[in-house]
Amino acid sequence: MRMNRQKQMELLRLLEEDSRQDVEQLAKMLAEPKEEIEKAIAALEEENIIVKYPALINWERVDDHPYVTAMIDVKVTPKRDVGFDEVAKRICRFPEVQAVYLMSGASYDLSVVLEGKTMREVASFVSQKLATIDSVVSTATHFILQRYKHDGIELEDRDEDRRMVVTP
């Protein structure tokens, strides 16, 4: 018996929420045999639906974390027959690049997420590597100053009042 689509979607949501859950626990939650969950996970990995099991790290709490993250808006002239794909794939090959997205409704075409050791390193990447690619018309770089929520998870406890107490 193969797991139905609804159970498969439920399994994906559970793994996305906490990928460290063991197969036995998932089987109980989904009311499916353990072997069926193992087969389903293997199939989802094989189909590249489950791509990776990452941990979410709040790097701002790690002392001496030397990286800055930038979001770069890139305006591109699309190429005949390949559109934006060729440029996007080329940008993806740079090891500094964390993510590339094709955007709609914006004044730019691609959104690039980049990590560098300093703002100067990011600026150098933009001016020497990104802006020199054929078809790249313009760029706008934005540096992330504070992360409040990432992948649906709040990174700081917002219930705590952190204001300084002032008395007359």
Side-chain angles (χ1 to χ4, degrees):
M1 177 182 151
R2 191 165 189 265
M3 186 180 293
N4 70 39
R5 186 74 177 150
Q6 183 180 351
K7 289 274 184 159
Q8 191 178 56
M9 293 299 290
E10 221 175 310
L11 173 62
L12 288 170
R13 281 191 202 93
L14 288 169
L15 288 171
E16 184 177 45
E17 186 178 303
D18 181 6
S19 62
R20 295 182 64 186
Q21 296 180 73
D22 66 9
V23 177
E24 288 181 23
Q25 184 179 1
L26 291 167
K28 287 178 187 174
M29 293 169 79
L30 295 169
E32 292 282 337
K34 176 184 169 188
E35 296 75 23
E36 196 62 37
I37 300 297
E38 289 171 337
K39 286 180 192 175
I41 290 172
L44 291 165
E45 290 171 345
E46 180 69 28
E47 293 172 39
N48 214 22
I49 293 171
I50 297 176
V51 180
K52 190 176 180 181
Y53 297 93
L56 177 60
I57 311 297
N58 185 355
W59 287 109
E60 292 173 12
R61 290 185 167 247
V62 178
D63 292 335
D64 301 325
H65 181 271
Y67 294 98
V68 295
T69 303
M71 299 181 82
I72 305 165
D73 304 335
V74 183
K75 182 76 176 155
V76 176
T77 302
K79 291 193 173 187
R80 185 181 306 273
D81 298 326
V82 293
F84 299 102
D85 293 347
E86 185 178 301
V87 175
K89 287 177 184 174
R90 186 166 175 198
I91 294 169
C92 286
R93 287 195 289 264
F94 291 111
E96 304 93 330
V97 172
Q98 303 297 307
V100 177
Y101 305 101
L102 178 62
M103 304 301 288
S104 71
S107 60
Y108 55 94
D109 304 302
L110 299 174
S111 181
V112 177
V113 180
L114 177 82
E115 196 170 76
K117 290 181 182 171
T118 63
M119 288 184 183
R120 181 169 294 198
E121 185 178 284
V122 171
S124 176
F125 172 85
V126 172
S127 65
Q128 294 176 11
K129 294 180 180 178
L130 189 59
T132 61
I133 295 174
D134 291 340
S135 301
V136 171
V137 176
S138 65
T139 64
T141 303
H142 312 276
F143 289 95
I144 295 177
L145 302 177
Q146 175 72 40
R147 294 176 199 253
Y148 297 101
K149 189 173 186 177
H150 186 79
D151 287 342
I153 298 172
E154 287 190 49
L155 298 176
E156 295 289 331
D157 184 10
R158 296 285 164 223
D159 294 336
E160 183 182 323
D161 189 352
R162 297 177 184 209
R163 294 177 290 179
M164 182 188 307
V165 177
V166 179
T167 57

